[in-house]
Amino acid sequence: MGYNDLLDKKYLMSVFSYKKKFSIFLTWVLFILITTLLASCGSKSFYNYNGLQITRIDVFKSKRILIVYHNDKIIKKYPIDLGFDPKGPKRIEGDGKIPEGKYIINVHNPNSAFYLSLGVSYPNTKDRAYAKLLGKPPGGEIFIHGQPNNERKKKGSDWTAGCIALKNRHIKQLYSMVENGTQIYIHP
């Protein structure tokens, strides 16, 4: 083996070593890129709540505020937007009103048309009976939700079809704090 053969061998080994190191580097870059992409797929990353259990929600329509409690201790207060005709209780489908009374949170929907949503158990038996007296359907699908996911513009502070709307950062917190079965009282 001559001097030139040794140089060729060293050259090939250094090229091979470089390619191996570059391959390891590319593998790490790909790993980090894929991990980052997977982590960002859920654009609705949830707030991690580790506080006291939420036992009640009060909504005060006239004050445009939602208050979250643990027993009688106030945990959080949030400003809210309401339906396009917020005065008075919801009676029939399409009236733009928010129900009044005692309900429960009955569903968590991460794939809502709005940024996250919590279902409210409207209509109850009393709501159905009243609507029946009027000969109309009571409506339904009342939610506490965030802002629209599409480019639809909200019009003023009372823009929902009968739901309670929060800022996205607020619904993100509330969504993680509240469990299904939590009582919600909606006041005039």
Side-chain angles (χ1 to χ4, degrees):
M1 199 185 263
Y3 180 72
N4 285 338
D5 290 334
L6 282 175
L7 285 177
D8 286 342
K9 191 174 181 181
K10 278 188 171 184
Y11 172 77
L12 289 174
M13 287 178 69
S14 70
V15 167
F16 176 74
S17 175
Y18 172 76
K19 283 184 176 179
K20 186 175 179 182
K21 288 178 184 174
F22 188 70
S23 175
I24 291 170
F25 171 76
L26 281 179
T27 302
W28 276 105
V29 168
L30 258 162
F31 173 76
I32 291 168
L33 185 65
I34 290 170
T35 304
T36 303
L37 285 173
L38 287 175
S40 67
C41 282
S43 63
K44 298 175 182 175
S45 60
F46 299 111
Y47 176 82
N48 188 12
Y49 178 72
N50 294 317
L52 295 170
Q53 179 186 11
I54 303 307
T55 56
R56 183 177 94 232
I57 298 170
D58 275 338
V59 174
F60 295 93
K61 292 172 26 175
S62 62
K63 295 179 183 176
R64 303 294 192 279
I65 194 157
L66 181 148
I67 304 173
V68 181
Y69 297 86
H70 171 73
N71 296 329
D72 289 328
K73 180 181 179 184
I74 294 174
I75 303 298
K76 278 285 203 188
K77 292 181 180 183
Y78 298 107
I80 59 172
D81 293 336
L82 299 172
F84 59 84
D85 187 13
K87 290 185 179 175
K90 181 165 195 63
R91 297 293 188 205
I92 58 171
E93 185 173 56
D95 63 7
K97 297 184 180 299
I98 313 305
E100 293 176 2
K102 178 183 173 184
Y103 301 92
I104 62 164
I105 298 299
N106 61 0
V107 70
H108 282 65
N109 182 1
N111 300 313
S112 167
F114 300 88
Y115 186 82
L116 302 174
S117 65
L118 296 168
V120 177
S121 64
Y122 175 88
N124 60 26
T125 307
K126 183 178 165 186
D127 299 320
R128 281 190 208 79
Y130 192 87
K132 187 175 182 177
L133 283 174
L134 297 175
K136 307 252 182 185
E141 294 193 17
I142 303 298
F143 289 91
I144 301 170
H145 60 67
Q147 302 301 302
N149 284 332
N150 58 23
E151 297 300 317
R152 187 177 93 180
K153 300 288 183 198
K154 61 181 191 168
K155 297 173 182 149
S157 62
D158 292 325
W159 56 273
T160 76
C163 295
I164 300 162
L166 283 77
K167 293 178 181 175
N168 287 350
R169 70 178 185 271
H170 295 160
I171 189 65
K172 187 187 233 183
Q173 289 177 346
L174 188 65
Y175 188 91
S176 68
M177 294 166 75
V178 175
E179 296 177 3
N180 288 348
T182 302
Q183 293 182 351
I184 176 169
Y185 296 88
I186 305 173
H187 309 276

